[in-house]
Amino acid sequence: MQFHVLPKLNISLPTSYIDPSTIQLPDWMFLADPEFHKTGPVDVIIGAEFYMDLLTDERVKPAADGPTLHNTVFGWIISGRLPGSVPESTSLVSVAAIDELLTRFWELETCRTKSTHSIEESTCEQLFEETTVRDETGRFVVTLPKKKYAVQRLGESRSTAIKRFLGLEKRLSANPDLKQQYSDFIHEYEAMGHMKRVAGDTAGGELHHYEVAIVADIAKMYRMIRVQPDDQRLQRIVWRDNVDEPIRVYELTTVTYGTASAPYLATKCLQKLGEIGEKTHPSAAKVLKRDFYVDDMLAGAHTVTGATP
């Protein structure tokens, strides 16, 4: 057999502890994996073309509603449902884990020389290509990648947000300077249109022969990218300047720090901008696609003129 050594093969299996007493294993039986009931890493995946060669003719089924035990050249293996288990009880986490496992399995089975995207990565790429637009100012407007059923399972978080805000407000009351910095930041956010109130509740001369380095960064990179209106409700915060004011609810209208998708969306928009501008601004497009690390740019030119837009 030809094997491929990978830094990570797949998720640990089984996904939860199994009580071996429910399977009624005979005392004489030598198992291929004596600790099959404990969650642990998978060491090797053997392709289906070898599977039948590994089996013997010995099979045992201790219980009608339990798994089947089959002898192999490695020892006895167990397959099937546990007694009393119900397929419908499979959790969303287990389904996602199975999807990821199957994806990696088929990648190994086909022996591809080039790595492919996972299911989640492919979904993000497809969502970006199908839903991303640019508004009248040229800014990208993106849709937040969301796991299936995640929005329905969010529940009520307003009371928790207010409770945490009141704790923050109390701490800031003992530090006026820090409170002012918080307040200035919030007002800047609103003034720049990067969040909105929820209704009912912001050159020199030519030089030659030495190299010119260019260092820059994109100010407030995440906040330069708007979020689709339907997704803005997922980014709500509460705030008030003083304790005698009502607590107001805001929606952040742009990509937000700390969310799992923020770095991907920001970097992807930068790359997309480079693709869009390849014909009209080839030099700038080259810099966008080659010389950025997140929001930081490090580029250069042979002359000042060459470095000037």
Side-chain angles (χ1 to χ4, degrees):
M1 299 180 187
Q2 180 181 3
F3 288 91
H4 300 270
V5 180
L6 305 176
K8 181 182 179 182
L9 188 57
N10 58 9
I11 61 172
S12 294
L13 294 175
T15 56
S16 60
Y17 177 82
I18 298 173
D19 184 359
S21 64
T22 62
I23 304 178
Q24 304 177 22
L25 295 173
D27 295 335
W28 53 264
M29 185 170 288
F30 175 81
L31 297 177
D33 180 10
E35 296 188 340
F36 72 94
H37 56 290
K38 299 179 180 178
T39 299
V42 174
D43 300 311
V44 176
I45 292 181
I46 298 176
E49 66 269 28
F50 300 107
Y51 179 70
M52 298 303 296
D53 296 331
L54 303 178
L55 300 178
T56 71
D57 295 331
E58 298 177 276
R59 291 176 54 184
V60 176
K61 193 174 181 66
D65 63 342
T68 298
L69 311 179
H70 205 139
N71 199 11
T72 74
V73 297
F74 301 117
W76 288 81
I77 60 175
I78 306 170
S79 61
R81 289 197 295 142
L82 295 176
S85 64
V86 181
E88 288 75 15
S89 64
T90 304
S91 67
L92 294 174
V93 175
S94 297
V95 172
I98 292 172
D99 285 344
E100 181 70 13
L101 176 60
L102 288 176
T103 298
R104 294 182 180 275
F105 173 77
W106 288 117
E107 287 178 6
L108 290 173
E109 277 293 287
T110 53
C111 295
R112 295 177 180 173
T113 57
K114 186 176 181 180
S115 176
T116 59
H117 288 140
S118 68
I119 293 175
E120 287 189 349
E121 290 168 341
S122 298
T123 302
C124 285
E125 289 287 328
Q126 182 180 356
L127 181 68
F128 184 90
E129 293 297 333
E130 292 178 353
T131 64
T132 300
V133 297
R134 298 181 74 183
D135 65 12
E136 63 280 0
T137 68
R139 289 187 178 181
F140 284 97
V141 183
V142 298
T143 299
L144 299 178
K146 298 176 287 295
K147 292 185 177 181
K148 194 175 182 180
Y149 307 122
V151 175
Q152 294 92 317
R153 298 175 64 192
L154 283 177
E156 195 280 324
S157 58
R158 180 189 179 107
S159 58
T160 302
I162 292 177
K163 183 178 180 180
R164 291 183 177 178
F165 171 74
L166 292 175
L168 171 66
E169 187 177 57
K170 185 176 181 180
R171 293 196 301 272
L172 291 179
S173 63
N175 191 334
D177 291 338
L178 183 58
K179 179 183 178 182
Q180 187 60 49
Q181 293 178 34
Y182 263 83
S183 186
D184 291 344
F185 179 80
I186 290 290
H187 288 298
E188 179 202 56
Y189 224 114
E190 185 176 15
M192 296 183 69
H194 297 163
M195 77 176 182
K196 64 182 181 182
R197 175 86 176 274
V198 177
D201 278 318
T202 124
E206 182 66 82
L207 298 176
H208 298 277
H209 308 301
Y210 64 101
E211 302 293 331
V212 179
I214 308 172
V215 180
D217 69 358
I218 301 176
K220 300 177 175 63
M221 181 181 185
Y222 291 175
R223 289 162 56 181
M224 295 297 107
I225 304 168
R226 292 176 55 201
V227 170
Q228 294 281 4
D230 288 345
D231 283 343
Q232 292 175 12
R233 64 189 181 89
L234 300 175
Q235 302 187 144
R236 288 188 173 182
I237 66 169
V238 294
W239 180 260
R240 67 182 176 190
D241 287 330
N242 300 295
V243 295
D244 55 349
E245 295 180 353
I247 297 176
R248 300 182 178 91
V249 181
Y250 295 89
E251 287 181 353
L252 306 182
T253 62
T254 61
V255 173
T256 304
Y257 313 98
T259 56
S261 60
Y264 163 78
L265 291 172
T267 303
K268 189 67 178 179
C269 284
L270 202 62
Q271 294 174 350
K272 192 68 175 181
L273 187 60
E275 294 175 10
I276 294 172
E278 276 184 324
K279 293 183 178 179
T280 57
H281 300 81
S283 297
K286 190 174 183 179
V287 170
L288 286 175
K289 298 171 71 174
R290 183 194 64 189
D291 298 334
F292 267 90
Y293 181 76
V294 192
D295 61 341
D296 294 319
M297 183 193 81
L298 180 59
H302 296 295
T303 66
V304 171
T305 299
T308 303

